[in-house]
């Protein structure tokens, strides 16, 4: 998988279709694509990288979930395929952690709420309606990811850290 050693992996790729799921005539294909990108690919990558890291004595993997995976969506416009995929990703983090932690590989996730990125462009949620009064910034998520990849998180595995400005408290 790699030409050199891998000590840490942050997998941040994902997709979200903004058009309503219920009225999408291609929803069967759409659902399969969202699950493929948001669930299967992180799982396959995580398995491969965890094995590589274990052979070297350990490492850290961080995947990106979502508050939608905990709540079913942050608004009525959150598509079910996205929310389901992120809930599945949270389960993968816990499962993969159980498989890898004994081999020295830590697996965690960050579950952001609405963050100002290209993915949330066109989001109809008024940021002032959020508990923090604004959307998150990419750096605010990045710092959590970075922390999970350092020795500061050497006793953390199987966790899904919420970073949503108070949108979900659980």
């Amino acid at each position: 998988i790699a030409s050199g050693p891998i000590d840490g992996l942050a997998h941040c790729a994902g997709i979200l279709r903004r058009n309503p799921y219920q009225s999408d005539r291609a929803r069967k294909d759409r659902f399969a694509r969202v699950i493929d990108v948001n669930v299967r690919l992180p799982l396959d990558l995580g398995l491969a990288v965890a094995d590589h890291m274990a052979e070297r004595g350990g490492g850290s993997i961080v995947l990106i979930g979502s508050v939608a995976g905990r709540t079913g969506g942050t608004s009525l416009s959150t598509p079910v395929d996205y929310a389901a995929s992120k809930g599945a990703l949270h389960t993968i983090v816990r499962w993969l952690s159980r498989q890898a932690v004994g081999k020295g590989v830590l697996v965690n996730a960050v579950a952001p709420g609405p963050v100002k990125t290209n993915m949330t462009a066109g989001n109809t949620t008024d940021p002032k309606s959020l508990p923090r009064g604004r959307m998150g910034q990419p750096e605010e998520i990045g710092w959590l990811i970075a922390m999970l990849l350092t020795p500061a998180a050497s006793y953390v595995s199987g966790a899904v850290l919420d970073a949503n400005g108070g949108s979900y408290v659980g």
Side-chain angles (χ1 to χ4, degrees):
I1 184 168
S3 60
I6 299 173
D7 297 315
L9 168 74
H11 181 268
C12 303
I15 59 173
L16 165 68
R17 307 286 183 180
R18 279 273 159 222
N19 57 322
Y21 182 82
Q22 300 89 312
S23 60
D24 191 336
R25 291 181 183 203
R27 67 178 172 230
K28 183 177 179 183
D29 293 333
R30 165 191 167 152
F31 193 91
R33 177 76 175 139
V34 170
I35 294 297
D36 193 45
V37 172
N38 292 358
V39 179
R40 190 192 58 79
L41 291 174
L43 173 59
D44 289 349
L45 182 61
L47 285 168
V49 171
D51 287 344
H52 174 84
M53 289 175 174
E55 289 171 8
R56 296 191 59 254
S60 296
I61 298 170
V62 180
L63 304 176
I64 304 301
S66 172
V67 67
R70 295 201 185 275
T71 65
T74 55
S75 70
L76 288 174
S77 65
T78 303
V80 66
D81 50 356
Y82 180 78
S85 73
K86 292 304 183 171
L89 188 90
H90 297 174
T91 297
I92 286 168
V93 166
R94 293 185 291 272
W95 180 86
L96 189 54
S97 172
R98 288 185 188 276
Q99 305 301 309
V101 71
K103 301 172 189 173
V105 179
L106 307 175
V107 182
N108 294 291
V110 175
V115 176
K116 194 169 186 161
T117 65
N118 290 340
M119 183 182 274
T120 59
N123 185 340
T124 58
T125 302
D126 178 7
K128 292 178 181 156
S129 71
L130 299 170
R132 187 82 168 94
R134 64 174 177 84
M135 293 178 72
Q137 296 298 314
E139 310 80 56
E140 293 172 305
I141 307 309
W143 282 114
L144 284 175
I145 294 168
M147 185 275 299
L148 287 170
L149 293 170
T150 70
S154 62
Y155 203 63
V156 179
S157 194
V160 179
L161 299 183
D162 294 302
N164 57 57
S167 295
Y168 171 80
V169 180

